[in-house]
Amino acid sequence: MSDSNANPTTTTRTALHELADQGVSVWLDDLNRPMIADGDLAAYIDRGVLGITTNPTIFATALSEGEAYTDQIESLGMDTVSTDEAVFALTTTDVRDACDVFAPVFQRTGGLDGRVSIEVDPRLSADTAATVETAKRLWAEIDRPNLFIKIPATVEGLPAITQTLAEGISVNVTLIFSLDRYRGVMNAYLTGLEQARERGRDLSSIRSVASFFVSRVDSEVDKRLDQIGTDEALALRGKAGVANARLAYQAFEEVFSTPRWQNLADDGAHVQRPLWASTGVKNPDYPDTLYVTELVAPDTVNTMPDKTLEATIDHAEITGDTVTGAYDDAQKVLDDLAAVGVSYSDVVDLLEEEGVDKFEKSWQELLDTVAAEMSKHPGRA
């Protein structure tokens, strides 16, 4: 099953390299133009970062601070483009440049890593056809083989994932909370590969990750456990997120050992790696590397905010695989949660609904920020 994510060559080994030894690729959840221009992104790579993801809030913050985007905004203002088109131009420029910075990692790892993700406008999450068309437009505009297009794992997103993959476009499936939905995501991936093969596409050029969110599960479950308030309930705090992710990995192992998968692998296909997302610890009572050290397993990605990345480098103890032998204990956590009155299905359904809403609000924040910046540089009369 495993693809090798060959360890980066650098003078100073860190916990990131120890994670790579275990088959975990560490990606950074942050990107802005100054990072690229000032060499900070290249410095992260030297420390062992193997890829990067982006989101609209990160872009909005970068746009509102400093002058890195001024020249392009002035140019866009002179062309009197819409705010949506300006967002498209600004974000695709950064992502294209980041792809170029990560190109050596992409080459060294045979296409496994060195990946940069950009998301489809989340306002389209309920529109399959529009999601696919936007994914194709982003792919063509950025025009780099180490790009990932982020598509949320909504009900409408699943066929969009399949259709995008069938076009030969690599996909980062995001916003996964439930085990059932994750199985649907893996099925969408396999179906997309099958359709790509029918169209004569090279399966070895198509990659995908499935972003399974972790800390948000604990935040919601812990809130409910605190409301219940019994000793049995309080003893379960901080356990749901890791347990859910470990059971997702069990599902990953099952799906990518089936004859259906082997048939695709024989034609050059690669596994869709689980990606642990939302790995910043939100409860200060928990270890700040909880969602790193407890989710070490081969063929995975851990995408970290800078604070978690620095904590991992500073003091994370990587002790080997902490997932594959823990499935029974993980299932017991979910069973115990049900026993004290926490509904798993209610939690994950709510988190998906809230996740889509947060994505849309984040996108609107980016639009508002760009509009405000462009208003400072009005176009031609």
Side-chain angles (χ1 to χ4, degrees), residues 48-362:
V49 170
L50 294 170
I52 197 162
T53 55
T54 63
N55 65 61
T57 298
I58 290 169
F59 278 123
T61 300
L63 279 159
S64 61
E65 298 175 354
E67 304 296 325
Y69 296 88
T70 300
D71 288 347
Q72 189 176 10
I73 288 172
E74 288 181 347
S75 175
L76 292 166
M78 291 297 288
D79 291 338
T80 60
V81 302
S82 69
T83 303
D84 284 292
E85 287 300 313
V87 166
F88 185 89
L90 291 162
T91 57
T92 55
T93 297
D94 279 5
V95 169
R96 184 187 304 107
D97 290 345
C99 283
D100 291 342
V101 175
F102 273 101
V105 179
F106 178 76
Q107 296 296 331
R108 186 178 68 239
T109 62
L112 179 70
D113 285 310
R115 296 282 174 170
V116 184
S117 297
I118 188 170
E119 68 186 73
V120 169
D121 182 341
R123 296 173 299 177
L124 305 177
S125 62
D127 188 332
T128 298
T131 295
V132 174
E133 287 307 308
T134 304
K136 289 163 64 175
R137 186 175 174 223
L138 286 166
W139 184 259
E141 178 67 21
I142 295 170
D143 192 25
R144 296 293 186 272
N146 53 331
L147 179 67
F148 268 139
I149 306 297
K150 289 172 71 174
I151 299 176
T154 58
V155 170
E156 299 86 356
L158 295 178
I161 291 159
T162 291
Q163 292 173 36
T164 301
L165 289 161
E167 296 285 343
I169 297 171
S170 295
V171 174
N172 176 345
V173 183
T174 189
L175 210 67
I176 308 170
F177 296 99
S178 80
L179 296 167
D180 284 346
R181 183 58 53 82
Y182 178 45
R183 288 186 178 276
V185 166
M186 290 187 285
N187 179 65
Y189 177 61
L190 298 184
T191 304
L193 290 178
E194 289 162 349
Q195 293 181 7
R197 182 171 58 185
E198 290 171 3
R199 299 180 186 186
R201 300 191 184 278
D202 176 10
L203 298 190
S204 69
S205 69
I206 303 171
R207 297 275 187 167
S208 184
V209 293
S211 296
F212 205 87
F213 282 53
V214 186
S215 68
R216 293 188 196 179
V217 175
D218 272 338
S219 295
E220 180 60 32
V221 169
D222 285 3
K223 181 171 65 176
R224 299 179 185 215
L225 292 171
D226 287 340
Q227 290 171 346
I228 295 168
T230 64
D231 289 345
E232 293 82 1
L234 297 178
L236 292 168
R237 288 180 298 185
K239 295 183 178 181
V242 167
N244 196 38
R246 286 173 172 172
L247 293 174
Y249 191 83
Q250 182 182 34
F252 161 76
E253 287 192 309
E254 291 172 0
V255 168
F256 289 96
S257 61
T258 59
R260 181 187 181 191
W261 162 247
Q262 190 57 52
N263 181 267
L264 289 162
D266 289 343
D267 284 336
H270 305 283
V271 298
Q272 181 188 53
R273 290 185 294 170
L275 181 152
W276 311 131
S278 185
T279 57
V281 174
K282 295 176 173 59
N283 188 330
D285 294 335
Y286 301 155
D288 55 4
T289 60
L290 174 67
Y291 305 125
V292 179
T293 59
E294 298 306 303
L295 292 175
V296 177
D299 295 307
T300 58
V301 178
N302 194 309
T303 181
M304 308 177 189
D306 183 70
K307 185 177 179 180
T308 303
L309 182 79
E310 295 300 336
T312 298
I313 292 172
D314 181 64
H315 54 259
E317 295 184 10
I318 309 304
T319 59
D321 186 337
T322 54
V323 175
T324 56
Y327 301 144
D328 289 345
D329 288 344
Q331 185 59 55
K332 186 176 186 304
V333 169
L334 296 195
D335 292 344
D336 289 347
L337 287 169
V340 300
V342 175
S343 167
Y344 176 82
S345 61
D346 187 59
V347 167
V348 294
D349 288 350
L350 175 65
L351 287 172
E352 180 180 309
E353 180 182 341
E354 289 181 345
V356 171
D357 184 58
K358 287 177 180 177
F359 274 13
E360 291 180 357
K361 288 180 178 177
S362 179

